[in-house]
Amino acid sequence: MRFFSDNAAKVHPKVMEAIAAADRVDTAYDGDALSRQLDGAFSELFGTEVRAFWVTTGTAANGRALAALCPPYRGILCHKDAHIEVDEAGAPGFFTGGAKLILVDGPGAKVTPDAVNQACDAIRNDVHQVQPAALSVTNATEYGLVYRAAEVAALGALAKQRGLALHMDGARFANALATTGESPADVTWRAGVDALSFGFVKNGGLNAEALILFRTELADEIAVRRKRAGHLASKGRMLAAQILALLEDGLWLENAQAANAAAQALAKAAPGRLVYPVEANELFLKVSPDEAAALTAQGFDFYDWGPGEIRLVTSWDQRGEDVERLSAALAAL
Amino acid sequence: MRFFSDNAAKVHPKVMEAIAAADRVDTAYDGDALSRQLDGAFSELFGTEVRAFWVTTGTAANGRALAALCPPYRGILCHKDAHIEVDEAGAPGFFTGGAKLILVDGPGAKVTPDAVNQACDAIRNDVHQVQPAALSVTNATEYGLVYRAAEVAALGALAKQRGLALHMDGARFANALATTGESPADVTWRAGVDALSFGFVKNGGLNAEALILFRTELADEIAVRRKRAGHLASKGRMLAAQILALLEDGLWLENAQAANAAAQALAKAAPGRLVYPVEANELFLKVSPDEAAALTAQGFDFYDWGPGEIRLVTSWDQRGEDVERLSAALAAL
Amino acid sequence: MRFFSDNAAKVHPKVMEAIAAADRVDTAYDGDALSRQLDGAFSELFGTEVRAFWVTTGTAANGRALAALCPPYRGILCHKDAHIEVDEAGAPGFFTGGAKLILVDGPGAKVTPDAVNQACDAIRNDVHQVQPAALSVTNATEYGLVYRAAEVAALGALAKQRGLALHMDGARFANALATTGESPADVTWRAGVDALSFGFVKNGGLNAEALILFRTELADEIAVRRKRAGHLASKGRMLAAQILALLEDGLWLENAQAANAAAQALAKAAPGRLVYPVEANELFLKVSPDEAAALTAQGFDFYDWGPGEIRLVTSWDQRGEDVERLSAALAAL
Amino acid sequence: MRFFSDNAAKVHPKVMEAIAAADRVDTAYDGDALSRQLDGAFSELFGTEVRAFWVTTGTAANGRALAALCPPYRGILCHKDAHIEVDEAGAPGFFTGGAKLILVDGPGAKVTPDAVNQACDAIRNDVHQVQPAALSVTNATEYGLVYRAAEVAALGALAKQRGLALHMDGARFANALATTGESPADVTWRAGVDALSFGFVKNGGLNAEALILFRTELADEIAVRRKRAGHLASKGRMLAAQILALLEDGLWLENAQAANAAAQALAKAAPGRLVYPVEANELFLKVSPDEAAALTAQGFDFYDWGPGEIRLVTSWDQRGEDVERLSAALAAL
């Protein structure tokens, strides 16, 4: 029973159908009818004019967004546990041409205005020290916490005041919105977000993520950077089709709600073990090595998160019976 | 009737089936059972131990191979019409960190030992001029010509003598082999090729290409570079599945043979118009603007290749009746 | 008798005196009184507000200027014989993060509007081909030819129309102006030049060159890039002092006139052998290997410029008697 | 009275004489007789065969050394207060092409084997996390502490075991040796150091630093990287002359001893205020804002080091009377 990653979840049947159907559209790269629908579809979702690009990975979306928002000789503020710092093999350095990640701390991988102010104030304003140009936050965070629109707006206002661009890594953006019920607009451009990496792969997609630009004037540069980095798929219709299928009738939100519900069910089974509140589809639990071994022996797959801790991730396709079994097992520990 | 690009061809049904089936394998990134079969499958195909990686674009395969074969401060010899020079948005510069493409000339985008020698001899051996570290050739070339094993071996021997690594851009590698009937081994590692970008997307795939390393010691670096450049798909099984489906029972070769046969049929219809001999699945024809307009009016889609010239590309799924119609139309011009 | 490079010329005594005197100014980096005089001194020379930076090499000046004028994903038009293409070890690729040099041809390493138009028109305006962002010309050129203000203005107008920034590599800018007698303003900003690498080392300096920005808004970025590339000397006063000494009372122009006069004297001795008109301080002569050997045997040092050709470079400190001897020797060949 | 930076110290008269004398050597770049003496002079100093390069800044020496020791896709361990992390404008990212600085902590900016082990053990060995390739230490450290040969040897052994290259930033290497009296060999190559940035500018030079390679096989790459980064001065003899003058008769060590002695005199005047033991030529003192203002009012120039702390740096040319006055002033606070 799989609880170790939503990357391992299935592709939603409607996505598979859309891919099969896309094959009838026969233009190369991103000139096809489906790819050309993305701008409109996301503009509608966000209630403002945006430019939208398919990409094949979240790292690619993050890297290119950051490269457009931060020149090589400046820095990007982010949490010390941010995915871009910890788990992307130095991709920001590669895409930006050597920009520096400037780290802030805070519980649950969440960035606060205070932490940003402290980090900025510690930097002398001269040519010897790297000056920040952008702030990147992850929503939901790497520890499954969620930013409310008001929290993002506070960061957005601060970013504006400090002259920083604002990027949101939304690998689990759907899960964040499924929890808060806030609108996509409120938690992004209305709050000052310039670019959003909008995840679909963990949420029923096959291999298409989206990069959304609220600063539409960056689109031409991003388009070139996509090609230059080897991310302009020649059958782009196959990527656009996945995204459009997930956007249709709010399937993306429905999938995220299912994953979140599974996480809540598990959270209720082990309230005393939670390291962080469960706000999206990830749970970090205090579990001794012996207890972890017992869970493994019962057929549960999860991620060992250092001594005395495990990570569980629920997916859109999580089977109810598996959740019940794991809930029971956790309660019985 | 589509003759403008094999990128616009359909995905082969067996590839679609393989993707659907891959969904039952549920491990993330490249740890899954399918991804782990690639090394073995390609080692068998090439008759030697290789390391094989899925990637989503040919540009990504080329860029990463070149980055592993050439340090930032040296150069890569290639034809002035090479795809890496002309049509990849400067990707080699991005992936290598600024290495220089050193251009050679020659008919049909084909690189000869003489041209390589001439280019190398023109470079002073000092720190002021960029010294070459690699040679990259495209097979089939950008003008549809094919290297025979002996030709590659001559280049390979020269590369070895000059201290150059040898890369082959095989976006249409299958079409090249379908023509010569030579073995994959003879035209690559036995001829001195260090790394091969092996194309599958134009030949029935969805969005998986392969990067094959004959110098297996480069594999660890390439694996890191894949992640760092945002090319490590989280559902890698979906890419591996495509490649394995095309390798099975020689489907890749069969597809290429079909595309090449269509090209030959067209070539026979307009022998006097050929700019280059037709050796793979591309035709470059001398066609006046009026004639081109007439073809377009009859419903044929193709690429305008500058004044008085057009490019036709045939695909694995080219319909016989379309080929016949175009043949007749060409003959009737 | 040295005629092989003005890089090998002496440091002017006034420069040495200025360095010695600068030692009494004791602030680090570029905060000292001398460094702070550069903006003013060059603004006066050019008759407009400029920002001026000392650097230690022409390659550093060129590289940083180009990095500020061209993003990593675009290209820089230049002559195929330009120093930045041929003799800077790929520095533009390093400084820009992989921008492409797009080469044009033309006699004497001179760039013409026609050549620029032809190169631009050959580039498809899409994401697959690298789009130019800047044009770089060398004045005096690598073959000792000089751009008149009107010629630069024609290029500047074209650059503006095409959306290209205009950079001038003026390693021998002084020699160019010494010939034309035109004003520094007319041949630069009034003609559309955005940034100028203004050479001093070949013209009596020790190791200080200047980078002049006519687009002053680039100054902050250039200042950071100077530090980041390891070019912010900690005793910057020693570099500023050299430049100020050469600017004082037009010493830079006087030195260049001396070098040019020596070149003219030699040109008159061998008019039939000139490959290019002599317009600055370089001469390219048709000389057979035997004749070259004869000159060498008489104690003349020069650069072998391929079969049947030699290069002579005269310097500000060229001794009259050496020029006379070489003139005689050339005439006697 | 200047105590704010040894970068502001004078150029030693013997260095000025050497520069004047170097003008008689007239070959360009690094082909001159003086530049060619560097390998030999440093090989003798270190008692082993080394390759030595002049550079114009410490940042350039560090950046190029790190680029040769660490590929773009890996990381460099260093102290969180290291100059390369804090005060070089992101130069390591620029020179390496995006390698990551992996920070360790510890008092006085000193790196310990424990800290290195802890940092390495925290990195999962997979493609998602950046793997370290090098360790860089500063000697004397940014807080004026000195590594003994045995301490470096412990780090060197650990580096070897972990597969890390070892770089030493020796901007104040002379001051470190002046304190310990240990041999240049013992604290570098015998202890496992692969490359050393050997500072001369702060110690009586004008603008020449040295980069010393104990792994001589890196020399060719470093030579190309020097040119490519715009650091190959065309009158290299002027840089070589400075270094040779400081090496002659141990002038470099003598200068450092003078600077250190001044620091010791000051340390004795205010023992209770020292934040760190004084081991080289830097002092960090607890001084209230009012006290600092009083010192400034008396004509002492120093660096404000955050609230309640100041930094004093002594130089080779520090006047004894100034030291006495500041000692008295400190004692009188």
Side-chain angles (χ1 to χ4, degrees):
Chain A
M1 288 162 285
R2 168 182 42 80
F3 290 92
F4 77 93
S5 173
D6 37 8
N7 279 327
K10 287 202 185 316
V11 177
H12 195 281
K14 289 192 178 167
V15 169
M16 291 301 287
E17 286 165 26
I19 289 174
D23 216 4
R24 290 189 295 270
V25 182
D26 66 357
T27 310
Y29 300 110
D30 63 349
D32 63 278
L34 297 176
S35 296
R36 280 184 282 114
Q37 288 175 37
L38 290 184
D39 285 351
F42 280 104
S43 292
E44 193 178 345
L45 181 68
F46 284 99
T48 189
E49 194 198 340
V50 307
R51 293 289 302 272
F53 294 83
W54 41 252
V55 283
T56 50
T57 67
T59 296
N62 290 339
R64 281 197 292 133
L66 295 174
L69 298 177
C70 179
Y73 51 87
R74 293 183 68 181
I76 299 152
L77 291 151
C78 68
H79 195 280
K80 74 174 181 50
D81 295 331
H83 201 260
I84 59 172
E85 159 68 10
V86 174
D87 274 312
E88 300 194 352
F94 177 57
F95 280 93
T96 61
K100 181 179 178 173
L101 297 187
I102 302 171
L103 306 181
V104 305
D105 206 345
K110 219 162 169 181
V111 175
T112 62
D114 277 358
V116 171
N117 276 322
Q118 200 174 334
C120 288
D121 291 342
I123 297 169
R124 288 194 324 268
N125 185 13
D126 63 22
V127 300
H128 301 269
Q129 300 207 324
V130 177
Q131 307 299 312
L135 167 64
S136 178
V137 298
T138 310
N139 190 23
T141 75
E142 288 73 10
Y143 288 108
L145 300 187
V146 167
Y147 288 89
R148 269 69 189 176
E151 293 174 292
V152 181
L155 289 168
L158 177 59
K160 195 172 180 180
Q161 174 198 324
R162 294 254 185 203
L164 304 172
L166 182 54
H167 166 252
M168 182 174 281
D169 177 353
R172 295 187 181 93
F173 184 66
N175 301 285
L177 288 191
T179 292
T180 64
E182 294 175 327
S183 81
D186 285 347
V187 79
T188 58
W189 64 274
R190 284 206 189 107
V193 172
D194 296 304
L196 168 71
S197 304
F198 192 152
F200 287 94
V201 173
K202 298 176 197 293
N203 196 29
L206 190 150
N207 60 3
E209 313 275 20
L211 173 56
I212 312 297
L213 300 179
F214 301 106
R215 285 175 53 191
T216 54
E217 75 275 13
L218 298 175
D220 287 352
E221 173 181 345
I222 287 285
V224 176
R225 286 188 185 271
R226 176 168 63 175
K227 173 63 190 178
R228 177 175 172 80
H231 290 117
L232 183 62
S234 54
K235 295 182 177 172
R237 57 194 182 273
M238 299 302 184
L239 298 166
Q242 300 175 41
I243 295 170
L244 293 171
L246 286 161
L247 288 182
E248 198 172 332
D249 298 329
L251 179 57
W252 64 282
L253 199 56
E254 194 180 303
N255 283 353
Q257 285 161 342
N260 288 9
Q264 287 302 325
L266 294 173
K268 276 175 199 148
R273 294 178 181 273
L274 296 175
V275 182
Y276 302 105
V278 175
E279 300 185 355
N281 64 326
E282 292 187 288
L283 301 95
F284 295 82
L285 302 177
K286 288 172 210 143
V287 167
S288 73
D290 283 355
E291 292 170 331
L295 291 172
T296 301
Q298 294 170 64
F300 299 106
D301 261 3
F302 49 84
Y303 203 89
D304 179 16
W305 203 259
E309 211 170 308
I310 65 170
R311 185 188 79 166
L312 304 174
V313 188
T314 54
S315 304
W316 72 272
D317 65 343
Q318 207 77 49
R319 292 191 306 172
E321 60 195 77
D322 291 352
V323 174
E324 282 168 30
R325 276 184 205 160
L326 179 51
S327 295
L330 286 171
L333 280 181
Chain B
M1 287 160 285
R2 165 180 45 79
F3 290 94
F4 77 93
S5 175
D6 38 7
N7 279 326
K10 288 201 185 317
V11 177
H12 195 282
K14 289 194 177 167
V15 169
M16 292 301 287
E17 286 166 25
I19 288 174
D23 217 5
R24 290 190 295 271
V25 181
D26 66 356
T27 309
Y29 299 110
D30 64 347
D32 64 277
L34 297 176
S35 296
R36 280 184 284 113
Q37 288 174 37
L38 290 184
D39 285 351
F42 281 104
S43 292
E44 193 178 343
L45 181 67
F46 284 99
T48 189
E49 193 197 340
V50 307
R51 292 291 301 272
F53 295 83
W54 40 254
V55 284
T56 50
T57 68
T59 297
N62 290 339
R64 281 196 295 132
L66 295 174
L69 297 177
C70 179
Y73 51 87
R74 294 184 67 182
I76 300 152
L77 292 151
C78 68
H79 195 279
K80 76 173 180 51
D81 296 329
H83 201 260
I84 58 171
E85 160 67 9
V86 174
D87 274 312
E88 301 195 351
F94 177 56
F95 280 93
T96 61
K100 181 179 180 173
L101 297 188
I102 303 169
L103 306 181
V104 304
D105 206 344
K110 217 161 170 182
V111 175
T112 62
D114 276 358
V116 171
N117 276 323
Q118 199 175 337
C120 289
D121 290 343
I123 298 169
R124 287 195 323 267
N125 184 13
D126 63 23
V127 301
H128 301 267
Q129 300 209 323
V130 177
Q131 306 300 312
L135 167 64
S136 178
V137 297
T138 309
N139 190 22
T141 76
E142 288 73 11
Y143 288 108
L145 301 188
V146 167
Y147 288 88
R148 270 67 188 176
E151 292 173 292
V152 181
L155 289 167
L158 177 59
K160 193 171 181 182
Q161 174 199 326
R162 293 256 184 200
L164 306 171
L166 182 54
H167 166 252
M168 182 174 282
D169 177 352
R172 295 188 180 91
F173 183 66
N175 300 286
L177 289 191
T179 293
T180 64
E182 294 174 328
S183 82
D186 284 348
V187 80
T188 58
W189 66 274
R190 283 206 190 107
V193 172
D194 296 303
L196 168 71
S197 303
F198 192 153
F200 288 93
V201 173
K202 299 176 196 293
N203 196 29
L206 190 151
N207 60 3
E209 312 276 20
L211 173 56
I212 312 298
L213 301 178
F214 302 107
R215 284 174 53 192
T216 54
E217 74 277 13
L218 298 175
D220 287 351
E221 172 180 345
I222 287 285
V224 175
R225 287 188 183 270
R226 176 168 64 174
K227 173 65 190 175
R228 176 176 173 80
H231 290 117
L232 183 62
S234 55
K235 295 182 178 173
R237 58 194 182 273
M238 299 302 185
L239 298 166
Q242 300 174 42
I243 296 170
L244 293 171
L246 285 161
L247 288 182
E248 198 172 332
D249 297 331
L251 179 57
W252 64 281
L253 199 55
E254 195 180 302
N255 284 353
Q257 285 160 341
N260 288 9
Q264 287 302 326
L266 295 171
K268 276 174 199 148
R273 295 178 179 272
L274 296 175
V275 182
Y276 301 105
V278 176
E279 301 186 353
N281 64 327
E282 294 187 287
L283 301 95
F284 296 82
L285 302 177
K286 287 173 210 141
V287 168
S288 74
D290 283 354
E291 292 170 331
L295 292 172
T296 301
Q298 294 170 64
F300 300 106
D301 262 4
F302 49 84
Y303 203 89
D304 179 16
W305 204 260
E309 209 169 308
I310 65 170
R311 186 189 77 167
L312 305 174
V313 188
T314 54
S315 304
W316 73 270
D317 64 344
Q318 207 76 49
R319 291 190 305 173
E321 60 195 76
D322 291 353
V323 173
E324 283 167 29
R325 279 184 205 158
L326 179 51
S327 295
L330 286 170
L333 280 180
Chain C
M1 287 160 283
R2 168 182 41 80
F3 290 92
F4 77 94
S5 173
D6 37 8
N7 279 327
K10 287 202 185 314
V11 177
H12 195 281
K14 289 194 179 167
V15 169
M16 291 301 287
E17 286 166 25
I19 289 174
D23 215 5
R24 289 189 295 272
V25 181
D26 66 357
T27 311
Y29 299 110
D30 64 349
D32 63 278
L34 297 176
S35 296
R36 281 184 282 113
Q37 288 174 37
L38 290 184
D39 285 352
F42 281 104
S43 293
E44 193 178 344
L45 181 68
F46 284 98
T48 190
E49 194 198 339
V50 307
R51 293 288 302 273
F53 295 83
W54 40 252
V55 284
T56 50
T57 67
T59 297
N62 291 339
R64 281 196 294 132
L66 295 174
L69 298 176
C70 180
Y73 52 87
R74 294 183 68 182
I76 299 151
L77 291 151
C78 69
H79 195 279
K80 75 174 181 49
D81 295 331
H83 201 260
I84 58 172
E85 159 68 9
V86 174
D87 273 312
E88 300 194 353
F94 178 57
F95 280 93
T96 61
K100 180 178 178 173
L101 297 187
I102 302 170
L103 306 181
V104 305
D105 206 344
K110 218 163 170 181
V111 175
T112 62
D114 277 358
V116 171
N117 277 322
Q118 199 175 337
C120 289
D121 290 342
I123 298 169
R124 286 195 323 268
N125 185 13
D126 63 22
V127 300
H128 301 268
Q129 300 208 325
V130 177
Q131 306 299 312
L135 167 65
S136 178
V137 298
T138 309
N139 190 21
T141 75
E142 288 73 10
Y143 287 107
L145 300 188
V146 166
Y147 289 88
R148 270 69 188 174
E151 293 173 293
V152 181
L155 289 168
L158 177 60
K160 196 173 179 181
Q161 173 198 326
R162 294 254 185 201
L164 304 172
L166 182 55
H167 166 254
M168 183 174 280
D169 176 353
R172 294 188 181 92
F173 183 67
N175 301 286
L177 289 190
T179 292
T180 65
E182 294 175 326
S183 82
D186 284 347
V187 79
T188 58
W189 64 274
R190 283 205 190 108
V193 172
D194 296 302
L196 169 70
S197 304
F198 192 153
F200 288 93
V201 172
K202 298 176 196 293
N203 195 29
L206 191 150
N207 59 4
E209 312 275 20
L211 173 56
I212 312 298
L213 301 179
F214 302 106
R215 285 174 53 190
T216 55
E217 75 275 14
L218 298 176
D220 288 351
E221 172 180 345
I222 287 285
V224 175
R225 287 188 184 270
R226 176 169 63 176
K227 173 64 190 178
R228 176 175 173 80
H231 290 118
L232 182 63
S234 54
K235 296 182 178 173
R237 58 194 182 274
M238 299 302 184
L239 298 166
Q242 300 175 41
I243 295 170
L244 293 170
L246 285 162
L247 288 182
E248 198 172 331
D249 298 330
L251 180 57
W252 64 281
L253 199 56
E254 194 179 303
N255 283 353
Q257 286 161 340
N260 288 8
Q264 287 302 326
L266 295 173
K268 276 174 201 148
R273 296 177 179 273
L274 296 176
V275 183
Y276 302 104
V278 175
E279 300 186 354
N281 64 327
E282 293 187 286
L283 301 95
F284 295 81
L285 302 178
K286 288 173 210 143
V287 168
S288 73
D290 283 354
E291 291 170 330
L295 292 172
T296 301
Q298 292 170 65
F300 300 106
D301 262 2
F302 50 84
Y303 203 89
D304 179 14
W305 204 259
E309 211 170 307
I310 66 170
R311 185 188 79 167
L312 305 174
V313 188
T314 55
S315 305
W316 72 270
D317 65 343
Q318 207 76 50
R319 292 191 306 173
E321 61 195 76
D322 290 353
V323 173
E324 282 168 30
R325 277 185 205 158
L326 179 51
S327 296
L330 287 171
L333 280 180
Chain D
M1 289 160 284
R2 167 180 44 79
F3 290 94
F4 77 92
S5 175
D6 38 8
N7 278 329
K10 287 202 186 315
V11 176
H12 195 282
K14 289 194 177 167
V15 168
M16 292 300 286
E17 286 167 26
I19 289 174
D23 216 5
R24 290 189 294 271
V25 181
D26 67 356
T27 310
Y29 299 108
D30 64 348
D32 63 277
L34 297 176
S35 296
R36 280 184 283 113
Q37 287 175 38
L38 290 184
D39 285 351
F42 282 105
S43 292
E44 193 178 344
L45 182 67
F46 285 99
T48 190
E49 193 198 340
V50 307
R51 292 291 299 272
F53 294 83
W54 40 253
V55 283
T56 51
T57 68
T59 297
N62 291 339
R64 281 196 295 131
L66 295 174
L69 297 177
C70 180
Y73 51 85
R74 293 184 68 181
I76 300 151
L77 291 150
C78 68
H79 196 278
K80 76 174 178 53
D81 296 330
H83 201 261
I84 58 171
E85 159 67 11
V86 174
D87 275 311
E88 300 195 352
F94 178 57
F95 280 93
T96 61
K100 180 179 181 173
L101 297 187
I102 302 170
L103 307 181
V104 305
D105 206 343
K110 217 162 169 182
V111 175
T112 63
D114 277 357
V116 171
N117 276 321
Q118 199 175 335
C120 289
D121 290 342
I123 299 168
R124 287 196 322 270
N125 184 14
D126 63 24
V127 300
H128 301 268
Q129 301 208 323
V130 178
Q131 307 299 313
L135 167 64
S136 178
V137 298
T138 310
N139 190 23
T141 76
E142 287 74 11
Y143 288 107
L145 300 188
V146 166
Y147 288 88
R148 271 67 190 176
E151 293 174 292
V152 181
L155 289 168
L158 177 59
K160 194 171 180 183
Q161 173 199 325
R162 294 255 184 201
L164 304 172
L166 183 53
H167 166 252
M168 182 174 281
D169 176 353
R172 295 186 180 93
F173 183 66
N175 300 285
L177 288 191
T179 292
T180 64
E182 293 174 329
S183 82
D186 285 347
V187 80
T188 57
W189 63 275
R190 284 204 190 109
V193 172
D194 296 303
L196 168 72
S197 303
F198 192 151
F200 287 94
V201 173
K202 299 175 196 292
N203 196 30
L206 191 150
N207 60 3
E209 313 275 18
L211 172 56
I212 312 298
L213 301 179
F214 302 107
R215 284 174 53 190
T216 54
E217 75 275 14
L218 299 174
D220 287 351
E221 172 180 345
I222 287 285
V224 175
R225 288 188 183 271
R226 176 167 65 174
K227 173 64 191 177
R228 177 174 172 81
H231 290 118
L232 183 63
S234 54
K235 294 181 178 172
R237 58 195 182 273
M238 299 302 184
L239 298 166
Q242 301 174 42
I243 295 169
L244 293 171
L246 285 161
L247 288 182
E248 197 172 333
D249 298 331
L251 180 56
W252 64 282
L253 199 55
E254 195 179 304
N255 283 354
Q257 285 161 342
N260 288 9
Q264 286 302 326
L266 295 172
K268 276 177 200 146
R273 295 177 179 273
L274 296 175
V275 182
Y276 302 104
V278 176
E279 300 185 356
N281 64 327
E282 293 188 287
L283 300 96
F284 295 82
L285 301 178
K286 288 173 209 142
V287 168
S288 74
D290 283 354
E291 292 171 331
L295 292 172
T296 300
Q298 293 170 64
F300 299 107
D301 262 3
F302 48 84
Y303 204 89
D304 178 16
W305 203 259
E309 210 169 306
I310 64 170
R311 186 189 77 166
L312 305 174
V313 188
T314 55
S315 303
W316 73 271
D317 65 343
Q318 207 77 48
R319 291 191 307 172
E321 60 196 78
D322 291 353
V323 173
E324 282 167 30
R325 278 184 205 157
L326 179 50
S327 296
L330 286 171
L333 281 181

